[in-house]
């Protein structure tokens, strides 16, 4: 196994890993170089299994043995650093001791991920990376066929999303709508029934709506942004407004990740196939 010891956190070869908590810096750096970060042994292995090509690996000396097989197999430099160097470089204590920088791939068009899909989650302006990651984990874990993102949704390949999803973002097919205003038309044209998840008045219980559609329907679950929920435009375009019934107790909505997990479960449970 060929590894490269690096002692200086300012070494140019480590530039992919600089200041991982600086969101603005990371956004522009990752977009400019077409890269994303995977953190921790399990997530790195999942990215490789999903066929992403590594640009490099960064391991602390302590983690080298655990990833020795990966380090020996990848066609990319493997940098090994002391813990203090890693901390100075990334900006926090890298207790997982393993990072990898990967090349992004072009995203498929919505039509591509919708072909053959029957159960779809559509997110409108979910802007928190943690929420996006958690929703992908539920969607992948519960067997949703595809996730569609409105143009303003947070990036599923941003480090926090990747980490919270535990790498589910690599396996879950997804695409980004180019057009918020008319984007749902594409689902309609393909025969999807649009269920708008909203805790607001006038909605029907989700389980009832799913049962009424029957197991063969193509269904898209629309979930709204963290603060305001679904826009009036998307609510108007939906076939049915549905809710996860709540007990009250001064809680007027669920966190979007909880609502998504319940809705995915309800949808998948209704489909014996
Ligand atoms: C934090 S909530 C937004 C709350 C916002 N005040 C509203 O009325 O939609 C974010 C998203 O989670 C989903 N959600 C939360 N609680 C829900 C519930 N009880 N039933 C259905 N969807 C829910 C909706 O899609 C909502 O847009």
């Amino acid at each position: 196994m060929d590894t490269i010891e690096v002692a200086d956190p300012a070494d140019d070869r480590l530039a992919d890993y600089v200041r991982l908590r600086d969101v603005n810096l990371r956004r522009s750096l990752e977009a400019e170089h077409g890269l994303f970060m995977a953190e921790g042994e399990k997530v790195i292995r999942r990215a490789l299994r999903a066929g992403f090509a590594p640009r490099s690996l960064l391991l602390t000396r302590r983690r080298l043995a655990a990833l020795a097989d990966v380090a020996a197999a990848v066609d990319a430099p493997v940098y090994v650093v002391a813990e203090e160097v890693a901390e100075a470089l990334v900006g926090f204590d890298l207790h997982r001791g393993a990072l990898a920088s990967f090349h992004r791939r072009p995203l498929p068009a919505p039509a591509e991920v919708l072909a053959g899909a029957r159960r779809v989650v559509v997110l409108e302006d979910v802007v928190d990376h943690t929420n996006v990651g958690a929703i992908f984990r539920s969607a992948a874990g519960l067997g949703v066929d595809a996730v569609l993102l409105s143009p303003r949704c947070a990036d599923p390949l941003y480090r926090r999303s990747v980490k919270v999803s535990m790498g589910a973002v690599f396996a879950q097919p997804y695409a980004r709508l180019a057009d918020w205003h008319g984007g749902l038309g594409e689902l309609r044209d393909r025969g999807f029934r649009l269920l708008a998840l909203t805790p607001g008045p006038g909605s029907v219980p989700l389980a009832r709506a799913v049962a009424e559609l029957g197991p063969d329907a193509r269904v898209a679950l629309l979930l709204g942004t963290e603060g305001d929920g679904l826009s009036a435009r998307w609510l108007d375009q939906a076939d049915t407004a549905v809710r996860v019934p709540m007990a009250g107790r001064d809680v007027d909505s669920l966190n979007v990740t909880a609502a998504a997990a319940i809705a995915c479960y309800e949808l998948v449970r209704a489909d014996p196939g």
Side-chain angles (χ1 to χ4, degrees):
M1 166 183 33
D2 284 337
T3 58
I4 303 161
E5 291 265 347
V6 183
D8 179 3
D11 190 309
D12 274 350
R13 291 172 297 178
L14 305 185
D16 281 6
Y17 302 93
V18 75
R19 295 192 351 237
L20 291 183
R21 285 196 175 145
D22 184 334
V23 180
N24 289 333
L25 171 94
R26 294 304 309 180
R27 274 212 192 104
S28 61
L29 185 150
E30 294 183 15
E32 187 185 338
H33 296 285
L35 65 87
F36 71 88
M37 279 290 125
E39 187 175 349
E41 182 187 339
K42 209 180 248 182
V43 173
I44 291 171
R45 288 184 189 277
R46 286 187 177 153
L48 290 168
R49 269 207 303 278
F52 286 97
R55 287 164 59 92
S56 66
L57 265 64
L58 179 83
L59 307 176
T60 58
R61 290 188 190 123
R62 236 174 347 135
R63 297 307 293 169
L64 185 54
L67 278 157
D69 58 323
V70 169
V74 292
D75 183 17
V78 178
Y79 300 116
V80 177
V81 294
E83 260 121 60
E84 317 77 75
V85 175
E87 185 167 351
L89 174 65
V90 304
F92 56 90
D93 176 11
L94 190 66
H95 61 276
R96 283 168 196 257
L99 284 166
S101 169
F102 283 92
H103 293 281
R104 286 178 184 248
R105 297 192 290 232
L107 272 189
E112 207 177 309
V113 298
L114 290 177
R118 270 193 319 119
R119 300 175 297 219
V120 176
V121 165
V122 192
L123 304 183
E124 185 184 32
D125 299 1
V126 174
V127 292
D128 183 299
H129 291 109
T130 307
N131 287 342
V132 167
I135 292 171
F136 268 71
R137 189 169 177 173
S138 296
L142 293 166
V144 163
D145 299 315
V147 176
L148 290 185
L149 307 172
S150 71
R152 282 196 292 264
C153 272
D155 175 13
L157 288 184
Y158 192 74
R159 184 181 64 93
R160 288 288 305 160
S161 316
V162 169
K163 187 172 174 181
V164 170
S165 82
M166 281 305 297
V169 289
F170 307 141
Q172 174 65 56
Y174 75 94
R176 199 176 276 278
L177 298 167
D179 171 24
W180 166 79
H181 193 260
L184 297 180
E186 188 146 0
L187 287 148
R188 281 200 164 291
D189 294 346
R190 289 168 184 275
F192 279 91
R193 306 301 299 271
L194 310 183
L195 300 186
L197 270 287
T198 172
S203 53
V204 303
L206 169 66
R208 193 205 300 167
V210 169
E212 281 171 8
L213 287 175
D216 297 328
R218 301 184 96 182
V219 180
L221 301 169
L222 316 183
L223 289 135
T225 188
E226 288 90 348
D228 294 336
L230 285 166
S231 63
R233 167 133 191 107
W234 279 32
L235 282 169
D236 283 350
Q237 288 184 291
D239 294 292
T240 315
V242 297
R243 70 173 181 277
V244 177
M246 299 187 45
R249 302 196 188 140
D250 228 11
V251 179
D252 52 17
S253 69
L254 301 171
N255 175 285
V256 65
T257 62
I262 293 168
C264 291
Y265 176 72
E266 201 66 69
L267 190 59
V268 172
R269 187 172 75 105
D271 181 355

